[in-house]
Amino acid sequence: MDFFDQDLTSLHADLVAKKLSATELTQATFANLAKTDAQVDAFLGLNEAAALTKAQQLDADGINADNVLAGIPVAVKDNIVTKGLTTTAASKMLANFVPVYNATVVDQMLAHDMIIVGKTNMDEFAMGGSTETSAFKVTKNPWDLTRVPGGSSGGSAVAVAAGQVPVAYGSDTGGSIRQPASFNGIVGMKPTYGRVSRWGLIAFGSSLDQIGPMTRTVKDNATALNLIAGNDAHDGTSSKRAVPDFTAGLTGDIKGMKIALPKEYMGAGIDPKVRAVIQAAVKQFEALGATVEEVSLPNSRYGVAAYYIIASSEASSNLQRFDGIRYGFRAQDVKNLEDVYVRSRSEGFGDEVKRRIMLGTFSLSAGYYDAYFHKAGQIRTMIINDFNKVFEDYDLIIGPTAPTPAFKLGDEISDPITMYMNDVLTIPVNLAGLPGMSIPAGFADGMPVGLQLIGKSFDESTLYKAGYAFEQATDFHQATPTLGGTH
């Protein structure tokens, strides 16, 4: 079955009308995975037996006409725990970890009768921008198999872009949903910090991580966020704010909307062809009746440096539990207790994870805390103040999601600084805890280019409204890759 031709509404209508059964849809999904995943390597593990059992039960009970997501196949990033289904975070450290409970978002998927087909590849512990730091495999971009899919939710992005599933969930700490969404020509939403429960998400940077949906269309994305948004008693950082219906404002009408375009997002370092795509998108928004004006976010230039101190410091704390004693991989033939700790962590973690643990430990160490971690916190406040000032006069902010289209496999993996700069346009959103979404906006050299929309806290509805209007006026979201070829 080819999901490219149908959105969630259409699939749901077929399921309710019994033109298609949940079992047939699930069987077709696994048949398609058997045909395509050897080319793109999006999945780390499949859930075929349980998925088919769930689908058969749904068919026996009947599809609920009021539940758009009933019977819909979904993929889950492998740092979101799934009861009875191996969850590795793409690390040798957790290669054999089978959770005994579900993440809250997984319980919500199952409660709404979604069919979990498998777990998707990612950068190890979500640390990376290309899905090349996975301990198990390298995922390829379906638009060009010699290029990266982005990261760290690269597997989830490819599963959607390659037509393997209509919905996947990822996590975003510094751009890990939006950057791969941009590289693969799909829609990816990083909700406001606190909008979605993090219970059951294997932590990287606890003050930054957020789970979000990845889909082919804006409306499907809004539907998928409706499912997982809301307060969770298990997560003290989840918000008690009321959750609106994110599909309610999708009218296509954005007349009078005021949009800001930061000059820092269009300057040096942005590929000229990416800049041209964004400039064309600006004209499209103006044609739809919005006002677009240039603004400044002067402290965004410090975002990458502040982010890598804060995120790495939190990671060094979160990952200390993986020591070969309490959790995770344990080295063999050790000589003493110290040997257990040193060799288990040395052999269990990959190079990128070890690099960030060392950076974070140094930043938090006595004598350096004030010079690095405290200073990074001050910069974070300055970046938040910049956003607040712009949002006094504007409804949302737009700009590129990433400075370039997807780069070649292997080109940047040995240069961590260059790799880190791929997130320069997405990181400030995480530092400020704001919602951000990437939508398809065009192509550069045959590769997708994403437009990033940034909103006020808990105002995902405005992002969906603007994104939907742009989507209805363009056809970029309808373009699909031919694996390894051209679209």
Side-chain angles (χ1 to χ4, degrees):
M1 171 151 307
D2 190 344
F3 290 114
F4 287 150
D5 297 331
Q6 290 186 276
D7 59 15
L8 290 180
T9 303
S10 173
L11 277 172
H12 176 64
D14 283 354
L15 288 167
V16 171
K18 299 187 185 302
K19 294 180 181 177
L20 174 70
S21 71
T23 302
E24 289 171 334
L25 182 57
T26 304
Q27 289 172 333
T29 299
F30 284 104
N32 188 35
L33 285 170
K35 184 173 64 177
T36 59
D37 206 52
Q39 298 180 72
V40 294
D41 283 318
F43 282 81
L44 284 175
L46 299 180
N47 187 39
E48 187 165 2
L52 285 169
T53 299
K54 174 86 173 178
Q56 289 161 356
Q57 186 62 51
L58 272 177
D59 287 331
D61 296 343
I63 298 291
N64 182 351
D66 296 326
N67 179 7
V68 176
L69 294 169
I72 298 297
V74 59
V76 181
K77 187 175 178 178
D78 206 30
N79 61 348
I80 300 171
V81 301
T82 42
K83 183 179 180 180
L85 187 59
T86 304
T87 301
T88 69
S91 177
K92 182 180 177 182
M93 185 63 80
L94 290 173
N96 300 311
F97 174 51
V98 180
V100 296
Y101 70 101
N102 282 324
T104 295
V105 296
V106 172
D107 275 337
Q108 290 166 319
M109 293 174 214
L110 295 175
H112 285 75
D113 291 329
M114 296 193 83
I115 308 291
I116 296 176
V117 299
K119 306 298 291 292
T120 52
N121 197 24
M122 54 182 284
D123 285 300
E124 184 179 6
F125 282 106
M127 299 178 190
S130 65
T131 315
E132 292 174 288
T133 71
S134 167
F136 305 114
K137 58 170 64 173
V138 173
T139 300
K140 291 90 176 177
N141 192 308
W143 293 88
D144 180 344
L145 298 178
T146 68
R147 294 178 185 266
V148 303
S152 62
S153 305
S156 291
V158 170
V160 173
Q164 296 176 320
V165 289
V167 182
Y169 287 92
S171 67
D172 191 315
T173 305
S176 292
I177 287 175
R178 290 159 289 157
Q179 184 248 28
S182 175
F183 282 7
N184 289 277
I186 64 169
V187 179
M189 165 65 86
K190 197 289 285 185
T192 307
Y193 185 80
R195 176 64 94 184
V196 175
S197 171
R198 293 184 299 112
W199 173 259
L201 174 67
I202 296 174
F204 164 16
S206 300
S207 73
L208 303 158
D209 298 336
Q210 192 68 179
I211 296 171
M214 308 176 86
T215 59
R216 290 205 58 78
T217 69
V218 170
K219 184 178 180 182
D220 283 358
N221 202 282
T223 301
L225 181 59
N226 277 345
L227 174 72
I228 61 171
N231 180 248
D232 176 18
H234 291 303
D235 179 4
T237 65
S238 72
S239 173
K240 295 182 179 178
R241 286 185 182 228
V243 179
D245 178 358
F246 297 115
T247 65
L250 306 184
T251 63
D253 181 7
I254 58 168
K255 290 183 178 65
M257 185 175 284
K258 293 190 67 178
I259 299 175
L261 177 65
K263 61 182 181 182
E264 292 83 3
Y265 284 20
M266 297 290 277
I270 307 300
D271 184 316
K273 293 177 181 175
V274 170
R275 188 183 300 124
V277 167
I278 303 307
Q279 288 168 336
V282 167
K283 292 187 182 301
Q284 183 63 64
F285 276 112
E286 290 174 334
L288 290 167
T291 301
V292 183
E293 296 176 343
E294 185 178 273
V295 299
S296 178
L297 295 172
N299 294 299
S300 290
R301 57 182 166 161
Y302 304 121
V304 171
Y307 169 84
Y308 278 97
I309 290 173
I310 293 170
S312 297
S313 298
E314 294 182 1
S316 71
S317 176
N318 283 323
L319 269 58
Q320 67 174 333
R321 74 194 71 173
F322 302 109
D323 56 9
I325 300 291
R326 291 170 293 181
Y327 294 98
F329 169 84
R330 177 179 293 185
Q332 300 299 307
D333 301 323
V334 294
K335 298 174 182 175
N336 51 46
L337 181 61
E338 183 178 358
D339 212 24
V340 173
Y341 289 132
V342 173
R343 285 189 47 202
S344 295
R345 288 170 69 81
S346 298
E347 296 172 19
F349 289 131
D351 289 344
E352 181 60 32
V353 174
K354 285 186 272 194
R355 182 182 295 120
R356 298 199 194 196
I357 289 173
M358 291 172 67
L359 173 61
T361 303
F362 176 79
S363 301
L364 293 174
S365 61
Y368 295 98
Y369 178 90
D370 285 340
Y372 293 102
F373 190 78
H374 182 66
K375 184 70 72 177
Q378 291 176 315
I379 291 170
R380 185 177 195 170
T381 299
M382 292 161 61
I383 290 172
I384 292 170
N385 290 339
D386 282 353
F387 278 117
N388 288 340
K389 186 175 180 181
V390 169
F391 283 129
E392 288 176 359
D393 299 315
Y394 297 91
D395 298 303
L396 75 157
I397 295 169
I398 63 171
T401 304
T404 68
F407 45 89
K408 293 282 188 179
L409 289 161
D411 269 7
E412 297 184 7
I413 191 65
S414 60
D415 183 353
I417 302 299
T418 299
M419 187 73 82
Y420 294 169
M421 292 307 291
N422 283 300
D423 294 335
V424 65
L425 301 170
T426 52
I427 277 172
V429 174
N430 297 75
L431 289 172
L434 301 173
M437 180 170 70
S438 182
I439 61 174
F443 293 86
D445 296 328
M447 296 302 294
V449 173
L451 173 73
Q452 183 175 207
L453 293 82
I454 303 168
K456 303 172 186 175
S457 285
F458 297 100
D459 192 21
E460 290 86 357
S461 295
T462 296
L463 301 189
Y464 283 130
K465 182 177 181 179
Y468 182 77
F470 181 84
E471 189 179 81
Q472 295 305 299
T474 60
D475 60 2
F476 304 120
H477 63 291
Q478 295 175 356
T480 57
T482 300
L483 291 185
T486 56
H487 58 95

